[in-house]
Every structure is written in structure tokens, then in C-alpha cells.
Amino acid sequence: MAELENPNMMPNLITFLSSLLEEVAESNDLNCGFTAQKISVFHGLTRPTISIQSYLDRIYKYANCSPSCFIVAYVYLDRFAQRQPSLPINSFNVHRLLISSVMVAAKFMDDMYYNNAYYAKVGGISTTEMNFLEVDFLFGLGFHLNVTPNTFHTYYTYLQRKMMMLQPPPIIAESSLSFGKGRSLKVVHLCFNEEESSHQKQQLAV
């Protein structure tokens, strides 16, 4: 989409995706004692010291993939969450899921892309681990990689709308109106039925 080519759009999108994933991870960290969660290849022994924001910024800087890949990666993460309810996104696996989703999206979307060894360096892991992550991510998706224009537009519009809601209200000159604090946004994900023209929002239990 043309909007994604705007140099100011992608940094804002990366920041919003980071905050969204951070909120989801923190929420699932708190719920880990109440829901059964499996340990997978995406699960690290400790929480990475690099923040989700810095990690996604690094991927954006060095992956050199098309802007659309980050929307598609978000679609993939949502599909993974729905298909793997026992593997929710948390602080221990979010970084590996991120690098896997972006790499798979780049391979599917772009005509030219870097190999696994390069993405491994970007993600701070070994090539062998990157290979394992890719395979497990693909199986976790059920190899459902195609993203229709309608699905892409649905997810992009959702992100765009949420980003607009987070922006501070404009300051009106010579106005006595005082704006209250914005409402906190609930973390949701889209359960999109591609066989229908509508979708519904549900709690993101990734």
C-alpha cells in the first residue's frame, strides 16, 4: 500500500507493533500460572535483555524487506496464536517468534531476500537455530502463508485505526476545551474468516 512507503509511517508502525507485543507478552507472563503453556524451540532459558522495541527496530533496519512484510508478519503471528493456543506469546519467546515471522514473510512476499544465516545474525542466534525456528513456525502455521488482499487490508486498517487512537488530540488555538487522558486500549487480535467478508475481535491469548 502506498501509505507504507511514507518514510514517517513505518517507524510509527514499528513502535506500535512493539508496544502491542510487549503488552501481550506481559499479560501472558502474568497468566502463565493459570493456563497450560508448552515449552517450544521459541522459548529462551531467560528473558532477552534487548527490548521488543529495540529488537524490532534492529530487524527493520537490517532486514531490508518490503514494508508489507511487517503487516504480513503480524498476520502470521495472529494465525500462529490461534492455531497454537498452548504457545502464547510471552517474554521468553516473543523475540524468536518475531524474527521467524518477518523472515518467513520476506521469503513469501519479496522477490529478493536474505538467507537464514543473515537473519540469524540480525536476530542474534545461530544459523542452526534459525533453521529450526523457521521449520517449527511453518508447521505452527500449518503452512498457511497466503495472505489475500482483503486479509491484508483488514489487518492494516486495524493497526492504522489503533495507531490513530493512540495519537494525542490536536491542540486547537484559542480554545478553552481541555482534553482528558485517552482511554487505555485493550489488546486484541483479529480472528479473520477469509471465507466471509466480516471478522470479529477477540482477546489476544497468543
Side-chain angles (χ1 to χ4, degrees), residues 2-16 60 67 156 163 167:
E3 296 94 332
L4 291 176
E5 302 300 330
N6 186 325
N8 297 322
M9 178 62 184
M10 282 307 297
N12 292 335
L13 179 64
I14 295 299
T15 298
F16 177 74
Y60 173 63
Y156 176 67
M163 288 168 61
Q167 292 178 354

Side-chain angles (χ1 to χ4, degrees), residues 71-133:
I71 305 297
V72 173
Y74 173 60
V75 176
Y76 288 168
L77 287 173
D78 192 37
R79 288 178 180 174
F80 189 92
Q82 295 176 52
R83 291 180 61 90
Q84 308 297 328
S86 61
L87 293 177
I89 289 180
N90 55 44
S91 298
F92 293 90
N93 63 23
V94 60
H95 295 76
R96 288 175 173 83
L97 285 170
L98 263 176
I99 191 67
S100 302
S101 62
V102 174
M103 185 182 75
V104 171
K107 287 187 174 184
F108 190 78
M109 294 290 294
D110 293 349
D111 294 329
M112 298 181 64
Y113 51 84
Y114 292 113
N115 59 21
N116 289 26
Y118 182 85
Y119 272 97
K121 290 182 179 179
V122 173
I125 57 179
S126 68
T127 303
T128 300
E129 184 176 6
M130 188 74 258
N131 294 340
F132 279 121
L133 293 178

Side-chain angles (χ1 to χ4, degrees), residues 37-175:
Q37 299 183 11
K38 293 195 304 183
I39 302 298
S40 69
V41 295
F42 302 100
H43 197 98
L45 296 177
T46 59
R47 290 183 177 89
T49 56
I50 184 172
S51 68
I52 297 175
Q53 171 78 61
S54 298
Y55 195 70
L56 196 52
D57 282 338
R58 177 179 172 82
I59 296 174
Y60 173 63
K61 179 179 180 180
Y62 293 108
N64 290 322
C65 57
S66 63
S68 298
C69 288
F70 290 91
I71 305 297
V72 173
Y74 173 60
V75 176
Y76 288 168
L77 287 173
D78 192 37
R79 288 178 180 174
F80 189 92
Q82 295 176 52
R83 291 180 61 90
Q84 308 297 328
S86 61
L87 293 177
I89 289 180
N90 55 44
S91 298
F92 293 90
N93 63 23
V94 60
H95 295 76
R96 288 175 173 83
L97 285 170
L98 263 176
I99 191 67
S100 302
S101 62
V102 174
M103 185 182 75
V104 171
K107 287 187 174 184
F108 190 78
M109 294 290 294
D110 293 349
D111 294 329
M112 298 181 64
Y113 51 84
Y114 292 113
N115 59 21
N116 289 26
Y118 182 85
Y119 272 97
K121 290 182 179 179
V122 173
I125 57 179
S126 68
T127 303
T128 300
E129 184 176 6
M130 188 74 258
N131 294 340
F132 279 121
L133 293 178
E134 179 184 28
V135 171
D136 275 50
F137 191 72
L138 289 170
F139 274 100
L141 289 174
F143 291 87
H144 183 197
L145 300 180
N146 186 47
V147 176
T148 65
N150 192 25
T151 300
F152 185 95
H153 178 74
T154 298
Y155 278 80
Y156 176 67
T157 302
Y158 166 77
L159 290 172
Q160 194 176 41
R161 184 172 66 251
K162 290 298 184 182
M163 288 168 61
M164 291 178 64
M165 292 175 65
L166 287 174
Q167 292 178 354
I171 299 176
I172 303 176
E174 299 180 0
S175 173

